[in-house]
């Protein structure tokens, strides 16, 4: 469960500069979200999930998902007592979805719209 207020949208230009080493030539970040220590980057080519691991967060996993590999996705909105919203993304060849939790600080509908724009191309 995420802590309230720790999820937020990040300026795409700033995220592009911070994670420039992950981007291919000419690739641009169009949207970015910070979830406690994890980061989501929506580029013009793929979804990049940045997962800080361990107590210190020095170990980091960079998960690159080409939009064409996403078979489907689902969002679960926050409820009255459950303050978190969830995003589930299924990638071809893997029956287990990638799951991320968002607090009410992020508009899950906006995240869904961005993902729809890329997946439905």
């Amino acid at each position: 469960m995420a802590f309230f207020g720790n999820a937020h949208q990040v300026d795409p230009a700033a995220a592009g500069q911070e994670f420039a080493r992950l981007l291919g030539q000419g690739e641009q970040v169009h949207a970015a979200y910070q979830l406690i220590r994890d980061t989501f980057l929506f580029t013009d080519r793929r979804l990049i999930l940045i997962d800080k691991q361990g107590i210190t967060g020095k170990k980091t996993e960079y998960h690159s998902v080409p939009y064409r590999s996403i078979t489907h996705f689902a969002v679960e909105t926050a409820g009255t007592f459950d303050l978190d919203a969830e995003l589930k993304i299924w990638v071809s060849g893997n029956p287990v979805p990638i799951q991320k939790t968002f607090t009410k600080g992020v508009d899950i509908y906006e995240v869904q719209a961005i993902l729809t724009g890329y997946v439905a191309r």
Side-chain angles (χ1 to χ4, degrees):
M1 184 164 118
F3 298 103
F4 184 75
N6 286 327
H8 61 279
Q9 192 167 11
V10 177
D11 176 52
Q17 288 180 345
E18 182 177 350
F19 299 106
R21 294 176 27 181
L22 299 177
L23 303 176
Q25 185 174 357
E27 186 174 13
Q28 294 184 2
V29 175
H30 288 195
Y33 294 89
Q34 180 77 39
L35 295 106
I36 302 178
R37 296 189 313 172
D38 297 345
T39 304
F40 265 61
L41 301 178
F42 291 93
T43 77
D44 54 341
R45 299 179 190 169
R46 61 195 164 132
L47 172 62
I48 302 172
L49 305 170
I50 301 159
D51 181 14
K52 300 272 186 173
Q53 300 175 350
I55 294 172
T56 63
K58 289 186 179 190
K59 183 176 179 180
T60 306
E61 178 181 58
Y62 301 98
H63 194 112
S64 179
V65 181
Y67 295 119
R68 69 181 178 280
S69 298
I70 298 173
T71 59
H72 64 286
F73 59 91
V75 295
E76 182 179 303
T77 60
T80 303
F81 299 106
D82 181 11
L83 299 177
D84 298 328
E86 290 185 8
L87 172 65
K88 297 177 185 176
I89 301 171
W90 283 266
V91 178
S92 61
N94 191 352
V96 179
I98 297 168
Q99 293 183 304
K100 292 296 179 179
T101 302
F102 293 79
T103 64
K104 283 190 174 183
V106 171
D107 182 355
I108 194 68
Y109 295 108
E110 181 178 296
V111 174
Q112 175 181 285
I114 292 168
L115 192 53
T116 299
Y118 289 114
V119 173
R121 284 187 192 177

